[in-house]
Each structure stands twice: as structure tokens, then as C-alpha cells.
Amino acid sequence: MTHNLKKTFAMLLLAIFGSAILYNCEPEPDSLGEQLFNKDAAKGEEVSYPIIGYNITNNDTVRSDASRLITGLSGTGAALSTGVLGSFTESQFGMQKASYVTQLRMPTDNFDFNGPNPKIDSVVLVVRPPANTMENTYYITDSIKAPGAYDKNDFMVGTETVPVSIEKKSYPVRKYGKIGGASKSMTINVHEVTTFLDANNEAFQRSNASVGTGELLGSGVFDGNVSTVTVTKKSDNANLFTGNLGFRIKLSNTDFFKTHILDKKGKPELQDASNFTRYFKGIRLSVEGTDKYLFQFSPDDMELIMYYKYDKTENSTTTRPQTTLNFNLGNLNAHIGQYEYNRGGYPVESALSNSKPSGDPRLFVQGMGGPSIGVKIPDQTIIDLKKLFTDNKIGIVGAKIRMYADPLTFTNAHSVDADRKFTLVPLIYKEGSTTIDYSKLSFTSDVTAGLNMYIYGKKKDQEPEYYDFVVTKTLKNIVEGGANVSAADMVNNPLLINMGTFVKNAQGAAVGAKFTTRAIDANRAIFTGSDASSKYGIKLMVTYATKKIN
């Protein structure tokens, strides 16, 4: 046994450094207590203790401004942002709808439209999927749907029509909700925003921000796919147009852009960004209906393009060339993810309204402002472990909080992702209240020490899946203390479990405990909680070693 454990520890030392790593196997004790097993000096034992798990309501709101729509950092330190659109209703959590609000800016101050007499041909909004493929973001699969190429003999190029070949390739986006069938298509509406979006005002930093809307600028039917389009001239194979991966919505209300943009040429409204964002305050994207699916997109890669013609005179000859005005929708602008919920009559509503500090039988957790899970090791358990440490000279080798998926209600049928991701941090409340202070969250001692944060597994096919949240270092600090352990780390504080992952830089390091993907994570889960009648109730599993006395 001793030889096998030493071999296991050696292998784990190679595997566990770096946080938020998943393993599809039954975990062994980690290396923190490895020395206790050297030279047959100790015997190991695993003991299970009941633990308190309870539901926490976040009032269906989350900080969802530009600083929280970040899913990672590039090699240059630039933020990689993600937004969510869509709607979905299911039997446990009820209805969830996601809209998106953004400012926009002119490409330059005092834009002159290249020449006199500009006239709009069309206005197009392009919504693009997330461009990066980091571990904690969604990306487009390689599966091509409905590719096609066709000829068109009257494609307009400048003032003439030419024969062209058009090739279109479509790719499915990742979805959460009703994946296909009659639910695959949804209408996306684009409205004018009538409220100034002050990014420094806390009211415009949260998902329940109140934002007024005005005219409908246009709509498009999204079929769950994004496409690339290439137009090639037949006569010489010259490339006339390349539309990068995205979903294009033609905005039919060109009169709005005439009166609000073209007619303001040379006027104060277009003088600079400060004037413009108070004049044309932004756009809001929303979906019709309440029961389709949620999908992610890249806010900074969106494009709003106005195609127009103007008078151009050369050598006494006047022509009408077409050109474009590309509005800036990037990270200089205020962004808000807006989320709406209807919990009425659904199990989650009852669970949240009847949550008890002594523990709840079922635990609900959901991203995008949905509920969290609180976990507390009973004080008596800490007292018992401290007594073992003092009297029996035990050393904690491994500790994990095991949560089983509720076998009656927990499925992953709504998501195209194979697994869910979570964060585990100490639970900190705002002073004098029961509201979580998300601005002051910190890593657990285990994450700081470089241990894996949680482990996904399944013991038998007939048993529900489970997650083991590693708390070895956290528990050792509380029970064993030590000269190098701070007083704060010796306190048995509750822990907080949320959907999402820690935002990471290009090197894979987490940038801070308060920066997570919770604001855009569409997943949800239900676990068996503090239920003494169930063998799948939440529990603390501790492996400790006792030195032999010769």
C-alpha cells in the first residue's frame, strides 16, 4: 500500500500544478501529506463528515459591464470579450432571456463622408462568434452546415452589374437550450437606445440596468449558424467581397441613419465622441420569444456598416462611387449584458425563498446572475479534527467537498458542452449585510498553493456524476495552523461556489479571484444538498495519516 501511495503522489505532483484542471477519474490524496507515508511511518484513513450546503440568491443580477464580459486576456494584455443573446425556458430554473446594449462611435471626429451629396444604399449589423479558443470560452466547431456556391449575373459593382460566383459556408454556434428542430431560428431585433450609457455609473454596470429604447432599426432571423461569404468576379476571378464569419442583419430603417447621421454632416453632433455618444446613445440587441436557446458572440468584433454613395468629381466628370462608414463598436464603448428571469412557479423559486442556514436538500447554481451555493464545514467537525490532530498526531493528506448531481433533475441535455465549470472562493459579505461582496473575493489557499480546484468524476454508471472541490490546504490551515499560516486562514469561513471559470491571461494564469466568466456562463446545475436521507448528500471527505509510534 505504501509503495502504491508514494507512486500515486509522484504522479500527482506532475499533474496538479495549475488551477481549475478537470480529471475524469477518482482522485487520490494530494501531495501535501506525502511525507507522512515515507518509510512505512504512517497509516492512512479516509473519513466522511456531513457538511452544510445552502442556496444563495443573487437576486438575478450580476455585474455585466465591459469589465465583466471578459473571458481572457491576449498576449498583449487586451481583453477578449464575450456577450450572450437568446432566451430559454426549462422546468427547474424557469425562463432566462439575454439582451445586449452597446454604445457606438464614428470612425473619426467631424466625419466628412468623402464628398458631397451622400446617399445611403444599406446598413448592416454583423454579429460575430467569439474569436478565441481559450479553455474557458466557446468557439465555432469545424462542422460546416449547408455549404453552397451559386452564380449571380447582376451583382452591382460601382455603377455597373457583372456576373459573379458567390460561395457561402455556414457553421453552427454553440447553444444552451433547445438545440434544433422548430427552435433553431429566432428573430433578433435591433433598437435605438435612448438612455445615455454612463459607464462610470453603477446603474449601468449590472444586468438589470434600466435602458430606454426608441426606434426599431431592423430585424433578422437567426438560424443558429454564422457564415462566411466570398464573391468572385467571373471574368477574371478577382475578389469583390469577403464577409468574415458572422451573422449579418440588414437594418431596414435607413431613414433613421439619414436623419441621424448624413443630415448631421458638419454639425456638433458628429464633432467628437463625447458629443456623439450623448446624441446617438447606442443600440440594443434582443430576441423575440422566451423559449429558444442562448448563444455567445464577440462584442468587440461586431460591425455596424453603412454603405453609401457620394459625388466624386475628377477632370470635370462626376461619378457616384460606393464606400462605407464603419462605426466603432469596440472596447472604448460601454457594454451591458441585460438578463431577465421569470422564476414564478418553478422549483428554483421555492428553493431560494425557503433556503435555511442549516442546509438545503437541493442546491441550485446558475450563471449570469442566477443562484450560488454556500458551503460551510460545521464547527463541531473542525473541533473533532483538531482533537485528532492534538491527541492522535494526525496530518491531513487530502480533503474534498463532494457534491453529487441530483439524480432526478440534473441533466446536461440543454448544452452542447460536455461539462460545466465552477469557481470556489471564500464567501465574503459586505459589512453589516448578507449581500456577497464580489469585489473582495480571493482565491482559496488551495488555488494559491497551485492545487487543482475541482475534479469531475463518476464512480459507477448507475450513480450520478459528482464534483470534488479540493480544500486540502484550506482545511489544513484551519485544523493544523502553523507559524506560516495567517490568522485569517485559520478561520472556518463559508465557501462560495459559482458557475464559470477564473479569467486567465495568455499564459494560463488567473488574473484575480473576482474576475470570472460567471456573467456570461449560461450553464446551470442542481446538486443533492444537506439531505441526511440520501447517500448522495453533500459531504466533506478527509484523508489523514497517523504516525506510528514504535
Side-chain angles (χ1 to χ4, degrees):
M1 173 180 175
T2 302
H3 174 75
N4 289 338
L5 279 170
K6 288 180 69 178
K7 184 177 179 181
T8 299
F9 287 134
M11 294 174 65
L12 280 169
L13 277 171
L14 298 175
I16 64 178
F17 288 101
S19 61
I21 301 174
L22 291 175
Y23 297 87
N24 288 307
C25 60
E26 178 71 9
E28 297 289 344
D30 61 54
S31 61
L32 289 175
E34 177 185 1
Q35 72 281 358
L36 295 172
F37 289 95
N38 289 342
K39 299 180 182 179
D40 296 323
K43 59 179 181 179
E45 183 176 355
E46 184 178 81
V47 181
S48 176
Y49 297 92
I51 196 172
I52 300 169
Y54 55 97
N55 291 298
I56 297 175
T57 179
N58 291 297
N59 299 312
D60 287 338
T61 179
V62 63
R63 184 165 177 179
S64 60
D65 60 336
S67 70
R68 293 301 188 272
L69 299 180
I70 298 173
T71 52
L73 301 179
S74 69
T76 62
L80 305 171
S81 298
T82 299
V84 183
L85 275 176
S87 65
F88 178 47
T89 301
E90 46 94 359
S91 61
Q92 296 297 318
F93 288 85
M95 191 280 294
Q96 180 183 35
K97 177 179 279 192
S99 305
Y100 173 74
V101 175
T102 181
Q103 287 176 324
L104 66 161
R105 300 169 188 238
M106 298 290 287
T108 61
D109 295 341
N110 286 318
F111 191 76
D112 66 1
F113 299 94
N114 296 83
N117 196 27
K119 292 283 194 305
I120 295 175
D121 289 330
S122 62
V123 183
V124 175
L125 177 69
V126 186
V127 180
R128 303 194 187 284
N132 67 90
T133 57
M134 295 179 65
E135 171 198 357
N136 56 357
T137 61
Y138 295 124
Y139 55 91
I140 296 301
T141 67
D142 291 330
S143 174
I144 300 176
K145 301 294 183 181
Y150 60 94
D151 295 337
K152 185 176 177 63
N153 293 321
D154 57 351
F155 189 84
M156 180 68 69
V157 179
T159 58
E160 63 175 336
T161 58
V162 298
V164 298
S165 175
I166 300 175
E167 183 179 31
K168 178 180 180 180
K169 294 181 180 180
S170 296
Y171 303 79
V173 297
R174 291 195 170 190
K175 306 177 181 71
Y176 193 99
K178 290 180 167 56
I179 305 300
S183 300
K184 73 175 184 178
S185 296
M186 70 172 90
T187 298
I188 300 176
N189 292 323
V190 183
H191 281 88
E192 167 203 13
V193 166
T194 57
T195 305
F196 172 62
L197 305 176
D198 183 358
N200 296 315
N201 187 333
E202 188 176 348
F204 298 106
Q205 296 175 350
R206 304 198 66 82
S207 59
N208 59 350
S210 178
V211 176
T213 57
E215 292 192 44
L216 176 65
L217 304 182
S219 301
V221 177
F222 180 60
D223 67 356
N225 298 310
V226 287
S227 304
T228 61
V229 178
T230 303
V231 181
T232 305
K233 193 175 180 180
K234 279 286 198 177
S235 60
D236 58 5
N237 289 323
N239 181 279
L240 298 178
F241 174 80
T242 298
N244 294 329
L245 199 63
F247 169 62
R248 298 170 69 87
I249 303 174
K250 187 173 182 180
L251 303 185
S252 56
N253 192 348
T254 55
D255 285 345
F256 176 91
F257 288 90
K258 176 185 181 301
T259 58
H260 284 72
I261 304 298
L262 292 187
D263 292 351
K264 298 299 180 181
K265 178 180 178 180
K267 296 184 178 180
E269 289 87 338
L270 307 190
Q271 181 178 343
D272 54 36
S274 177
N275 282 9
F276 187 77
T277 54
R278 284 166 172 77
Y279 162 64
F280 189 177
K281 298 175 179 64
I283 57 173
R284 181 177 188 263
L285 281 66
S286 61
V287 302
E288 295 183 4
T290 59
D291 195 12
K292 299 287 186 173
Y293 54 86
L294 303 164
F295 72 96
Q296 293 187 326
F297 66 98
S298 178
D300 292 340
D301 293 327
M302 287 175 59
E303 290 185 281
L304 182 59
I305 309 167
M306 188 176 81
Y307 297 88
Y308 68 96
K309 293 186 178 73
Y310 66 96
D311 287 346
K312 181 178 181 181
T313 302
E314 289 183 338
N315 300 322
S316 302
T317 301
T318 300
T319 58
R320 297 275 296 165
Q322 186 186 67
T323 188
T324 60
L325 187 164
N326 290 66
F327 293 91
N328 179 354
L329 280 73
N331 57 18
L332 294 175
N333 297 287
H335 302 320
I336 309 170
Q338 284 188 309
Y339 309 141
E340 304 168 56
Y341 292 88
N342 180 7
R343 307 273 192 207
Y346 291 93
V348 67
E349 181 187 44
S350 176
L352 294 178
S353 60
N354 296 295
S355 182
K356 300 177 291 297
S358 59
D360 297 324
R362 289 203 303 162
L363 305 176
F364 291 74
V365 58
Q366 183 181 21
M368 297 168 62
S372 306
I373 295 174
V375 176
K376 180 71 163 65
I377 302 172
D379 291 336
Q380 185 60 50
T381 298
I382 299 299
I383 292 172
D384 294 343
L385 287 170
K386 284 185 175 181
K387 182 173 176 58
L388 287 172
F389 175 70
T390 301
D391 297 348
N392 296 3
K393 310 303 180 187
I394 71 163
I396 294 173
V397 176
K400 57 203 175 191
I401 296 168
R402 174 163 293 183
M403 295 200 314
Y404 283 97
D406 180 65
L408 298 179
T409 59
F410 183 85
T411 68
N412 203 23
H414 305 307
S415 178
V416 296
D417 284 334
D419 56 58
R420 299 163 176 84
K421 295 180 173 65
F422 301 89
T423 59
L424 176 73
V425 295
L427 178 53
I428 300 174
Y429 290 105
K430 293 181 178 179
E431 187 174 353
S433 76
T434 57
T435 302
I436 299 173
D437 192 342
Y438 279 96
S439 68
K440 294 183 179 178
L441 297 186
S442 60
F443 294 121
T444 64
S445 300
D446 296 87
V447 172
T448 303
L451 299 179
N452 52 302
M453 183 169 55
Y454 63 89
I455 300 163
Y456 166 79
K458 192 167 186 175
K459 296 181 72 173
K460 301 174 184 177
D461 288 341
Q462 67 269 27
E463 291 189 339
E465 61 188 78
Y466 63 81
Y467 287 83
D468 283 346
F469 293 86
V470 177
V471 290
T472 305
K473 180 67 172 172
T474 299
L475 188 62
K476 281 178 72 71
N477 289 343
I478 297 170
V479 172
E480 301 175 12
N484 296 323
V485 180
S486 70
D489 285 341
M490 296 184 196
V491 179
N492 180 29
N493 288 318
L495 299 169
L496 175 68
I497 296 174
N498 267 320
M499 279 290 177
T501 61
F502 294 120
V503 172
K504 300 174 185 176
N505 60 25
Q507 290 71 45
V511 300
K514 69 180 181 179
F515 295 104
T516 76
T517 60
R518 172 175 165 253
I520 51 91
D521 195 312
N523 285 287
R524 69 285 309 265
I526 305 173
F527 294 97
T528 303
S530 301
D531 186 353
S533 66
S534 173
K535 65 178 180 179
Y536 300 126
I538 186 172
K539 63 190 68 175
L540 173 69
M541 302 171 71
V542 182
T543 302
Y544 61 81
T546 305
K547 286 194 174 183
K548 292 181 179 178
I549 301 176
N550 296 324

